[in-house]
Amino acid sequence: MQIWDTPTTLLLHTLSGHHREVYALEFVPDRHTLISASTDRTLLVWDISSPSSNLYTEPVPSRTLSVKADATHPDTGICALAVSPDGCHVAAGAFNGAVRVWELQGEGTITAEWNAHRRAVYGARFILQGTGLVTASLDRTLKHWDLGNPDTTYLCTLEGHNKVRPAGRQHNAMPDIV
């Protein structure tokens, strides 16, 4: 991964650490912390507060959050990522439909975990000042989770997307992908 200063086109950082493809990146609200998610089943937390002054010294992840329980399953790579508005939690969705929420402070423990969807989770967003989470899946559902509830349950499932259309194209410009 590379981080560039767009006004000056200067390369600020080259981040290496994942062993497989990176599917998602999110900045923590402090704007100095970046989280990357990969099919290697890890989230890497990076401190990118200052540019590298030495080409041979690049940032290393300050923390690794992993899905160790699923290490033997090939479809547990992480493909969706969201950071709570207060920067205290990160949610991740996986190819196998699982959703996990980690605390970013302290030990980085998993605070919620669900076999949420029947297919890959490609979207996650915190809502309601971080007390809610919405996940989106290739199973054509959205699920609304209540993170303010000690039992951390989902509130509802929204269904209705029966055709997938490429973004940014007129509906008749390309055939439907079903």
Side-chain angles (χ1 to χ4, degrees):
M1 298 177 296
Q2 294 181 324
I3 299 174
W4 297 82
D5 180 10
T6 53
T8 64
T9 66
L10 291 175
L11 176 62
L12 300 177
H13 298 288
T14 299
L15 307 175
S16 300
H18 286 293
H19 302 290
R20 299 201 52 198
E21 301 87 4
V22 174
Y23 266 76
L25 299 167
E26 287 285 337
F27 278 97
V28 173
D30 69 9
R31 303 177 84 182
H32 300 289
T33 306
L34 177 69
I35 301 175
S36 56
S38 170
T39 57
D40 66 6
R41 299 177 190 92
T42 63
L43 302 176
L44 297 182
V45 181
W46 306 88
D47 177 4
I48 57 165
S49 56
S50 61
S52 297
S53 57
N54 181 337
L55 292 176
Y56 303 105
T57 306
E58 287 295 338
V60 294
S62 60
R63 168 177 273 165
T64 300
L65 305 174
S66 65
V67 185
K68 294 175 185 171
D70 289 340
T72 61
H73 300 284
D75 60 347
T76 56
I78 300 169
C79 51
L81 183 62
V83 176
S84 64
D86 62 5
C88 292
H89 293 89
V90 61
F95 285 109
N96 67 350
V99 174
R100 292 172 181 85
V101 179
W102 283 266
E103 64 176 18
L104 284 175
Q105 316 300 324
E107 299 295 316
T109 57
I110 294 176
T111 60
E113 186 171 11
W114 313 284
N115 290 321
H117 293 274
R118 293 183 311 272
R119 295 187 62 197
V121 177
Y122 274 99
R125 289 290 177 261
F126 281 92
I127 59 172
L128 304 171
Q129 291 78 41
T131 62
L133 179 70
V134 175
T135 56
S137 170
L138 287 180
D139 67 8
R140 299 180 178 160
T141 65
L142 301 174
K143 292 199 176 186
H144 180 188
W145 304 90
D146 181 5
L147 301 177
N149 181 338
D151 297 325
T152 317
T153 58
Y154 82 94
L155 297 175
C156 65
T157 299
L158 304 173
E159 299 182 53
H161 289 280
N162 57 12
K163 293 185 179 179
V164 178
R165 298 182 190 274
R169 299 193 184 238
Q170 293 180 349
H171 77 281
N172 58 0
M174 182 177 264
D176 292 337
I177 301 170
V178 180

